Structures are given as structure tokens and as C-alpha cells.
Amino acid sequence: WSREAGADLLEQAQLPPGTPAIWHEQAAWLRPAQLVRAQLAHPNITWRGDTRVAALRRDGKDADAIWQLLDADGGVLAQAGTVVLACAHPTRALLEPLGSSLPLNALRGQVSWGPLSELPEAVRAQLPPFPVNGHGSLISGFAGSDGLADPAWIVGSTFERGATEGRVKAEDQDANRDRLARLLPRLGLAMGTQFEHARAWAAVRCTLPDRVPAVGPVDTRDLPGLLVCAGMGARGLTLSVLCGELLAASLHGEPWPLERKLALALAAARFPQVRPAGPAQSP
């Protein structure tokens, strides 16, 4: 699916001849909100937004027990025999009161963006007709996202470990400008002053020490019916689909969509569990 980028592609990216680069023939970009809406548009899915789950509680014993999702006041929001935690870094806070945990880490990132119409014509003429990815990335000419009617450009993203809030920071705009200058030097020079007026968006990724997602049961012995799907880092848009397929296949006893060795490498139970001291008690 990939090959060495030829001279014509390097020229379109305004990179010097001989620059090491790979052309991904089947690569593409997509609009995240539309992807999520398409995934949720299923008759067996009920979406409930603006609802914060503060804690989990296992009600009952043995095979008849069910998981209850509680709000901040202890009220039951929902209950089921099987629950999948797919809430990125907050997954850790929901697991720890149950005597279990995953070494999930927060990794904040910020992108810089702006409408193409605000760029000088001479700068727009230098934009490559395709996305470029390396130490950072550039996509130009996309439109149709929520709150964005006109075609735009976007550059990013930063990486800040341990930050749990998606707060926009002015210094990250400078970091993205420098990132573009290394990725596409000529364009970075031309767009340098544009970052003074650029918009910004920030959010928090979720990672694991081995940079591999955690999928499936965390603790089948003490927490049966509780599964996770988290830790996808900066690749959530693609990994979430594959991890969802793996999780569904495991739950329904179907063939895995991955070879056995790779599927086991994604198992959430690969991490040592943190168990409470003393006799085990129901949450």
C-alpha cells in the first residue's frame, strides 16, 4: 500500500529532491464527528449524552449479579450483566475503587487551525494537495465539520504527558508552528506569521506504557462482566474500530479479526491487577 515518494510528489509538497518520504497510496482523512455518528446509527444502540458515571457497583452474586452505573448521588443510571468501559483516561478512576487498575496515562494534545480564506493567496498556492504526516502533520482544504463551513488547514499536534485537561495554551501554537517548519520547511516559513491569528483546539489522549490498547476483561475472577477498551493514544480513530471488532468477537465467541499472538498482546488482563488488602468484598 505504500511506496517511496517520487520526485513529482516531493515537488507538490515543496520538499527538496531526495527527501526521504513515503507515499501512502490508500491513505485518507476523515471527519471524526461524522464517523462517530455513523457508528452510533444502529437500531440496537441508545445514545445518552451529558451523563456522567461517577462509580460502578456490582449488585447480586455469582451468575445473577449485574453491574450498576451510578451517578454522583448514588442513583442508578443504567445496569447490565456486561459493561464495557471505553472512556479513555477516566477508565482508571472507575476501576480503582473496585480494587483493580490499568496504568493509563493522560497525554494532552493541541492542534492549530484556520480558514483557508484567511491565508494570503501566495501562501495558499504553496499548500500541498494531500495531507503530510511526519513529526506532526498538515491537512488543508477540509470542510464540513461541526462549526466549520469553510475549507480550513490544520497543523499539530503537541504531546503533553500527565495533563488531564484539554485546555488551550498559547505556547502550543508556537510549538505547532515549529513542528510545521520541520515537516515542510518552505511552507512553514511562509505560514509563520499566520499562527499569530490561528485558532486552537485541545483534548486529552489516553496511553499505556507499552503503547498498545487494552481490550477485554480486566479481572475475570473478581470483576466478571466488566471489560475495557482504552489506551489508544493518538490513533483512536482507527484503532477503536479494530478494537471494537475484537471485543465483539470475544464476547460472542466468534473468530478474532487478528491473529492470536496479536490479539493476546492487546488483552487488558496483561497488566498486573491491584487488589485490595484483606478479604475480598463486594463493591
Side-chain angles (χ1 to χ4, degrees), residues 94-121:
L94 290 172
L95 287 175
E96 288 177 347
L98 303 174
S100 185
S101 185
L102 284 175
L104 296 166
N105 301 306
L107 185 63
R108 176 189 161 276
Q110 180 171 316
V111 296
S112 306
W113 68 276
L116 292 182
S117 58
E118 295 183 3
L119 294 178
E121 184 176 349

Side-chain angles (χ1 to χ4, degrees), residues 152-164:
W153 59 270
I154 184 168
V155 171
S157 171
T158 60
F159 290 83
E160 181 182 359
R161 300 184 184 281
T164 58

Side-chain angles (χ1 to χ4, degrees), residues 112-115 118 153 173 193-200:
S112 306
W113 68 276
E118 295 183 3
W153 59 270
Q173 298 292 75
T193 59
Q194 301 304 316
F195 281 82
E196 299 175 5
H197 314 289
R199 283 75 157 170

Side-chain angles (χ1 to χ4, degrees), residues 186-211:
R186 290 181 60 183
L187 180 63
L189 181 63
M191 286 189 63
T193 59
Q194 301 304 316
F195 281 82
E196 299 175 5
H197 314 289
R199 283 75 157 170
W201 179 85
V204 179
R205 313 175 186 89
C206 175
T207 67
L208 284 159
D210 58 7
R211 300 188 179 183

